[in-house]
Amino acid sequence: MSFTVIIPARLASTRLPNKPLADIHGLPMIVHVARRAALSQARQVVVATDAPEVQAACAAHGVQALLTRADHVSGSDRLAEACEQLGLDGRELVVNVQGDEPLIAPAMIDACASLLGQREDCVMATVGHALDAATEFANPNVVKLVTDARGTALYFSRAPIPWWRDGSPDAPGFKPGSVLRHVGLYAYHAGFLRRFPGLAVSPLEQIESLEQLRVLWHGERIAVHISADKPGPGVDTPEDLERVRQLMPKLGG
């Protein structure tokens, strides 16, 4: 299996300014992410950023980084430009690892890429895991997903799905372990990734603010790897950053 990991890294962040450069035990967070991704089977790991400061920080620690346009609307648009800069063939596999996931499991990256390689009927693959807390089921910041019998995505939503009509009064519609939480890890064929920015934005995508719904809206398929393990926490806020700093030594830095 051969694939490229591309890590989009945008410097601007409302909740945590300069997030890719946030210090975790003496290294910028983006470097930690790249080093974790390098433990996967990827043949190369590349950061795609809009900021010379991020590119310089990566270069200082031996991480390849491309400077991309600053006006990209989404991470997928940034990845599409990176594919062009790297000259990737349309059938090559690309895995999008988020730049705020310094605890990403290399095995999860491999599983996502491997699944897409096996599913000729799909243009993308992603990851889900069993959700076991009613509070997360009701939380719109926790994206849920449902699949068909083959593990192909039917829908992604911030709403509680699927909904049990006869749920209990204290947690209506929730049964632990029977709901899938979406993990924002994606594998693509480079050709589809280049084509994605040209697809019309879908009404569902606008309502839910979930970019992957554009893929389903246009009739394409997304394969879902069901992980037995939960991903490590990502970093969106200063509190998240402190939690990750505390966890990193426990996992060997």
Side-chain angles (χ1 to χ4, degrees), residues 12-238:
S13 174
T14 55
R15 290 185 287 180
L16 186 59
N18 299 324
K19 183 163 67 168
L21 301 178
D23 180 86
I24 302 176
H25 304 310
L27 289 176
M29 178 166 62
I30 192 65
V31 173
H32 281 287
V33 176
R35 289 184 175 182
R36 291 288 289 179
L39 296 175
S40 72
Q41 296 178 36
R43 66 180 181 85
Q44 61 179 339
V45 175
V46 182
V47 171
T49 183
D50 63 351
E53 301 96 317
V54 174
Q55 186 182 39
C58 289
H61 297 284
V63 175
Q64 183 180 358
L66 302 175
L67 194 61
T68 57
R69 298 199 331 254
D71 60 350
H72 286 306
V73 176
S74 70
S76 297
D77 295 316
R78 195 172 309 285
L79 261 69
E81 183 187 347
C83 285
E84 293 290 348
Q85 288 196 38
L86 292 169
L88 298 182
D89 178 82
R91 291 297 300 170
E92 290 193 57
L93 297 181
V94 175
V95 178
N96 176 0
V97 173
Q98 301 299 322
D100 55 6
E101 298 281 350
L103 297 176
I104 186 72
M108 189 176 288
I109 298 172
D110 292 336
C112 190
S114 178
L115 178 61
L116 183 58
Q118 299 166 27
R119 292 290 302 269
E120 292 292 330
D121 59 320
C122 296
V123 297
M124 284 176 58
T126 191
V127 178
H129 69 83
L131 192 155
D132 54 14
T135 53
E136 292 187 338
F137 185 53
N139 186 346
N141 293 318
V142 175
V143 178
K144 280 69 66 174
L145 71 100
V146 291
T147 71
D148 66 12
R150 290 196 64 201
T152 308
L154 292 173
Y155 195 65
F156 300 81
S157 183
R158 298 182 183 280
I161 59 170
W163 185 264
W164 282 269
R165 185 193 65 179
D166 301 321
S168 62
D170 58 332
F174 179 74
K175 294 182 180 180
S178 298
V179 175
L180 291 177
R181 177 177 186 166
H182 180 229
V183 178
L185 178 69
Y186 299 99
Y188 316 76
H189 291 293
F192 175 74
L193 189 52
R194 290 194 188 99
R195 183 161 60 89
F196 178 82
L199 296 177
V201 174
S202 78
L204 295 175
E205 174 188 359
Q206 292 177 313
I207 292 168
E208 297 262 19
S209 191
L210 295 174
E211 193 179 62
Q212 63 270 34
L213 290 176
R214 188 187 315 180
V215 180
L216 301 184
W217 175 263
H218 288 279
E220 302 286 5
R221 295 180 175 180
I222 302 174
V224 181
H225 166 68
I226 309 301
S227 174
D229 301 314
K230 297 180 180 180
V235 177
D236 288 317
T237 67

